[in-house]
Amino acid sequence: MKTVPAIRIRKGNKKQVRPDGDFVLYWMIANRRLDWNFSLDRAIELAEELNKPLVVLEALDTDYKWTCDRFHAFILKGMRDNFLKANDSDITYYPYVEPAPGKGSGLLYEMSKHACAVVTDDYPAFFIPQMLKKLVETPDRASPDGRASLQVLLETVDSNGLLPMDAGGREFTTAYSFRRFLQKTLPEHLMDMPQINPLKNIKLKKIKRLPGQITEKWPQVNLEFLENIPDELKKIPIDHNVQSIKNAGGSRAGKKLLKKFITEKLPDYDEIRNHPQEDATSGLSPYLHFGHISAHEVFYSLQKYENWHPGKLDEKTNGRREGWWGMSRSAEAFIDQLITWREIGFNMCRYNKDYDKYKTLPNWAKETLKIHEADEREYVYRMEQFENAETHDPLWNAAQAQLVKEGIIHNYLRMLWGKKIFEWTKKPADALEIMIHLNNKYALDGRDPNSYSGIFWTLGRYDRAWGPERKIFGKVRYMSSKNTARKVKTAEYIKKYS
């Protein structure tokens, strides 16, 4: 078993390994997959060292913000894939779906009482950092609601991207500076890959059964439940108005999308990716967000297709977007999205706990937005009008309709979507709240570092001051539906989603 790089492992508390525990527990909360996963690799590593069984707990709560059929179904399809993959392996996979708010409280604490150590995922956004922090700050003994700090070692493992988050060392404020840093730093980490199929060759003891107080109070779901997701969702008290997306979710679906993108779409990606009428993008963003596929696996597949090796890297590390990797133009354009733009978002969330707050915009943006805050808007819409796609602009309405219906917006139009919400709202801070709410409520890849980057970019994050200075926008980059329609094909897109 290859050792997980130390830079990716953090101690989540000051407890010690308990050698006389019954098993090592991997609490799967972000990297919801059983391959290409440093967290799983670390849990296997500990189980082998201690000669103990490995239990993988994948739980799904009902009380996280914006919980709905759409996100539950996506995660449950991943659970189904994990259930099937783990079935003939030497690990014990325990999928738990909370039937009502609060019913899952105490499960982790009870399982940890029997564990040698707990390994979990280091993810820097949404509710996960606060949840892990509470495990350290809560009392040692369980309270009536089941909350308590763990009495055994907790390790958090970073399996988010090709660059370990702790390698950044600081917050980067421009894509150029981050890209230049990547070109200098990333090569030393490129060969550190998670195991492709870590369950294949391991030889671990398999626990016969978990204690009855666990299985009776928090019974795991079975394969029948995971094969009948639409019917089972009706029984769970979540938002049923945000409907699930057919055939979306799970590692198997993510791998099919990846294969199709690499073999069929990549050659033309750079040329047609900005045209919403073309099916040119990878569609992998939701699968990356929910951890059903790994950025390492995506990069590895691209590397194989391009017949690439690290010897092709250019020695000049000047932050340019093209030419450094030594791959085709389309491959490098995609890599810039996969690594530069995706991982700068993880960098922000790691080093700035206020990543989702208006105050973290660059000073130049806040200054120019303040100057133009009182500018008269030709149109001003309420949250409900935005949500229902009831604006005067057919292209914007189509983008919002796609978001509500399919859980995505075409990448290029997502930028326009945000710019127009800003333009049609009285205050930029209010516009930001609307963007975050709509994106996080409907987008399959919402609540993600990369998603927050896109939203905040519309107000100046990672951008520079532009001229000429405009009404409302000030020095923030301007976009309009009219100019967008001139640059990219939109007629069929509007027709499809009108």
Side-chain angles (χ1 to χ4, degrees):
M1 185 73 188
K2 187 179 178 182
T3 303
V4 176
I7 195 172
R8 291 185 178 271
I9 304 171
R10 278 186 165 195
K11 279 197 171 187
N13 59 18
K14 296 181 180 179
K15 307 296 183 181
Q16 301 298 318
V17 170
R18 187 165 50 211
D20 60 348
D22 297 328
F23 50 80
V24 171
L25 177 63
Y26 170 32
W27 179 31
M28 180 184 282
I29 56 177
N31 307 319
R32 294 176 178 267
R33 58 183 181 270
L34 292 173
D35 55 17
W36 294 94
N37 184 350
F38 279 124
S39 301
L40 176 60
D41 291 351
R42 176 57 179 165
I44 292 173
E45 195 174 276
L46 284 173
E48 289 180 336
E49 286 177 10
L50 298 166
N51 194 27
K52 297 287 183 178
L54 174 61
V55 175
V56 177
L57 167 65
E58 184 176 9
L60 179 56
D61 295 340
T62 62
D63 58 354
Y64 62 90
K65 193 173 183 181
W66 296 294
T67 179
C68 61
D69 282 6
R70 180 165 298 176
F71 308 145
H72 254 55
F74 202 97
I75 293 170
L76 288 170
K77 286 174 183 174
M79 283 185 165
R80 177 201 59 193
D81 291 352
N82 288 339
F83 191 105
L84 294 170
K85 191 176 182 70
N87 196 37
D88 295 324
S89 74
D90 285 346
I91 69 167
T92 297
Y93 175 66
Y94 201 86
Y96 174 76
V97 178
E98 190 176 47
K103 292 292 185 181
S105 293
L107 170 58
L108 174 66
Y109 178 70
E110 192 63 34
M111 291 188 94
S112 73
K113 285 164 57 177
H114 302 271
C116 304
V118 178
V119 176
T120 193
D121 305 320
D122 187 354
Y123 184 81
F126 201 27
F127 64 84
I128 289 179
Q130 289 74 28
M131 179 175 66
L132 295 178
K133 187 178 179 183
K134 285 180 181 178
L135 287 178
V136 179
E137 294 178 346
T138 47
D140 286 349
R141 291 188 177 184
S143 58
D145 67 355
R147 294 188 181 278
S149 62
L150 303 185
Q151 296 302 293
V152 68
L153 174 68
L154 171 69
E155 288 188 346
T156 63
V157 181
D158 170 14
S159 195
N160 297 294
L162 275 74
L163 181 77
M165 290 188 293
D166 284 348
R170 65 178 178 88
E171 175 189 331
F172 287 85
T173 57
T174 67
Y176 167 76
S177 63
F178 186 62
R179 192 181 293 112
R180 189 171 183 179
F181 173 80
L182 282 171
Q183 291 173 358
K184 292 178 179 178
T185 310
L186 190 57
E188 65 185 272
H189 301 286
L190 279 177
M191 294 299 101
D192 292 332
M193 289 278 181
Q195 297 296 305
I196 295 175
N197 189 359
L199 303 186
K200 185 176 181 181
N201 298 315
I202 59 170
K203 298 294 181 184
L204 294 174
K205 296 178 181 178
K206 193 159 185 176
I207 196 165
K208 293 181 180 179
R209 64 180 66 86
L210 289 170
Q213 63 265 38
I214 294 174
T215 57
E216 291 171 14
K217 187 172 182 180
W218 301 282
Q220 71 175 65
V221 295
N222 55 27
L223 187 58
E224 183 181 358
F225 179 104
L226 297 172
E227 294 284 10
N228 294 280
I229 293 171
D231 291 334
E232 296 297 340
L233 281 177
K234 295 174 184 176
K235 306 172 187 176
I236 303 174
I238 56 177
D239 184 356
H240 300 300
N241 293 316
V242 183
Q243 298 179 353
S244 58
I245 308 300
K246 190 176 180 180
N247 299 324
S251 293
R252 289 189 296 183
K255 291 177 190 296
K256 287 180 182 177
L257 275 178
L258 174 60
K259 184 177 180 181
K260 182 177 181 179
F261 174 71
I262 296 292
T263 57
E264 299 178 20
K265 300 181 181 181
L266 183 63
D268 299 320
Y269 175 78
D270 185 52
E271 205 170 306
I272 63 175
R273 62 188 167 120
N274 286 337
H275 295 277
Q277 293 174 197
E278 304 287 352
D279 182 21
T281 58
S282 70
L284 292 172
S285 185
Y287 296 85
L288 288 165
H289 167 66
F290 284 107
H292 290 165
I293 200 165
S294 163
H296 284 92
E297 181 176 7
V298 177
F299 179 78
Y300 179 77
S301 299
L302 191 66
Q303 172 185 332
K304 283 182 65 178
Y305 180 83
E306 291 278 315
N307 195 25
W308 180 88
H309 56 81
K312 293 187 177 183
L313 293 174
D314 196 324
E315 293 181 1
K316 296 177 182 177
T317 56
N318 56 10
R320 67 190 186 279
R321 277 182 292 186
E322 295 181 4
W324 182 74
W325 285 95
M327 294 192 190
S328 67
R329 187 168 179 173
S330 280
E332 294 208 354
F334 180 69
I335 281 181
D336 201 48
Q337 296 296 317
L338 175 71
I339 301 179
T340 305
W341 282 105
R342 180 172 180 269
E343 297 194 22
I344 197 174
F346 280 85
N347 169 265
M348 167 65 78
C349 293
R350 178 59 132 203
Y351 292 99
N352 194 328
K353 62 181 176 58
D354 294 320
Y355 63 88
D356 58 348
K357 303 292 192 300
Y358 183 83
K359 64 183 180 181
T360 59
L361 286 172
N363 288 333
W364 70 263
K366 285 185 289 188
E367 290 169 3
T368 194
L369 292 173
K370 182 66 176 176
I371 292 170
H372 292 273
E373 187 172 279
D375 289 358
E376 184 180 352
R377 271 74 169 158
E378 185 176 1
Y379 301 95
V380 176
Y381 296 107
R382 303 184 310 277
M383 170 76 82
E384 296 77 12
Q385 291 172 301
F386 283 121
E387 189 163 10
N388 296 326
E390 295 172 344
T391 78
H392 67 284
D393 186 332
L395 181 55
W396 191 93
N397 291 344
Q400 174 65 15
Q402 184 187 22
L403 174 63
V404 171
K405 181 180 179 181
E406 299 178 358
I408 59 171
I409 301 179
H410 184 275
N411 292 355
Y412 191 81
L413 293 186
R414 204 172 202 168
M415 297 186 289
L416 177 71
W417 174 85
K419 292 284 187 183
K420 296 294 105 177
I421 291 177
F422 157 51
E423 185 179 349
W424 302 331
T425 306
K426 288 183 178 180
K427 295 182 179 180
D430 294 340
L432 182 62
E433 287 186 14
I434 292 170
M435 282 186 263
I436 290 174
H437 174 73
L438 293 179
N439 190 68
N440 288 359
K441 180 177 179 178
Y442 292 104
L444 284 168
D445 63 356
R447 309 150 311 280
D448 188 85
N450 190 39
S451 191
Y452 283 106
S453 294
I455 288 171
F456 276 80
W457 176 87
T458 64
L459 297 176
R461 181 182 287 178
Y462 303 133
D463 210 353
R464 60 177 175 83
W466 286 74
E469 192 164 346
R470 292 177 179 269
K471 179 182 174 182
I472 302 173
F473 283 81
K475 296 177 183 178
V476 170
R477 186 195 300 246
Y478 176 75
M479 287 182 73
S480 72
S481 297
K482 191 174 181 180
N483 287 342
T484 299
R486 278 201 293 261
K487 292 178 181 178
V488 299
K489 301 171 185 176
T490 60
E492 290 300 318
Y493 179 84
I494 293 172
K495 183 178 179 181
K496 180 177 180 181
Y497 294 106
S498 63

